[in-house]
């Protein structure tokens, strides 16, 4: 198993930027696809971005061009750089490891989750 801990959430004004970090402990990190999801109040948890071990990246349409996912395998850390933030980006953001198969966009392929970090974008 792997333990995931997110850092970097907070309050930011619309148009601002924020970088989230996800630190993974344990050996079960290298070679896995890692992803970010988010959940706003009253809504389903939704896919934001993912990065494969070969560094191929995938983004939801709502964040494409604004967010950048990256990884530093020497530090067992995944990052999510969020630019041009909008109030609708307000949510709890979760880091996850994809241990299953199927589409990277689906929650059910991810088997380990962090506790989440709150991002609030004020208008």
């Amino acid at each position: 198993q792997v333990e995931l801990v997110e850092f970097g959430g907070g309050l930011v004004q619309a148009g601002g930027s924020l970088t989230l970090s996800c630190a993974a402990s344990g050996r079960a990190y290298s070679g896995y696809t890692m992803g970010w999801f988010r959940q706003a109040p009253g809504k389903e948890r939704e896919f934001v971005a993912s990065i494969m071990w070969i560094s191929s990246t995938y983004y939801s349409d709502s964040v494409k061009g604004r967010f950048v996912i990256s990884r530093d395998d020497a530090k067992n850390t995944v990052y999510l750089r969020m630019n041009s933030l909008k109030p609708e980006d307000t949510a709890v953001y979760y880091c996850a490891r994809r241990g299953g198969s199927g589409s990277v966009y689906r929650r059910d392929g991810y088997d380990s989750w962090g506790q989440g970090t709150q991002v609030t974008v004020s208008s």
Side-chain angles (χ1 to χ4, degrees):
Q1 271 290 19
V2 63
E3 181 181 5
L4 304 173
V5 180
E6 300 97 337
F7 301 93
L11 173 64
V12 62
Q13 287 190 330
S17 298
L18 207 58
T19 298
L20 305 181
S21 302
C22 171
S25 63
R27 293 184 297 174
Y29 166 82
S30 297
Y32 284 88
T33 293
M34 301 296 294
W36 287 96
F37 287 72
R38 67 186 182 187
Q39 188 167 17
K43 294 189 176 181
E44 295 284 324
R45 191 172 299 188
E46 65 175 4
F47 172 82
V48 175
S50 68
I51 183 166
M52 297 179 70
W53 68 274
I54 53 174
S55 296
S56 297
T57 57
Y58 303 85
Y59 297 94
S60 67
D61 288 342
S62 62
V63 308
K64 195 175 297 182
R66 299 189 298 122
F67 290 11
V68 178
I69 188 171
S70 61
R71 63 192 295 164
D72 184 342
D73 289 349
K75 296 181 178 180
N76 281 10
T77 301
V78 180
Y79 303 96
L80 185 68
R81 174 66 175 178
M82 305 183 293
N83 300 312
S84 303
L85 282 161
K86 306 174 181 180
E88 51 264 44
D89 294 317
T90 295
V92 177
Y93 283 71
Y94 297 89
C95 173
R97 185 194 74 171
R98 184 168 175 268
S101 59
S103 171
V104 297
Y105 299 97
R106 292 181 56 86
R107 286 176 52 187
D108 55 11
Y110 294 79
D111 61 356
S112 296
W113 294 82
Q115 83 289 348
T117 185
Q118 176 70 47
V119 172
T120 303
V121 184
S122 63
S123 57

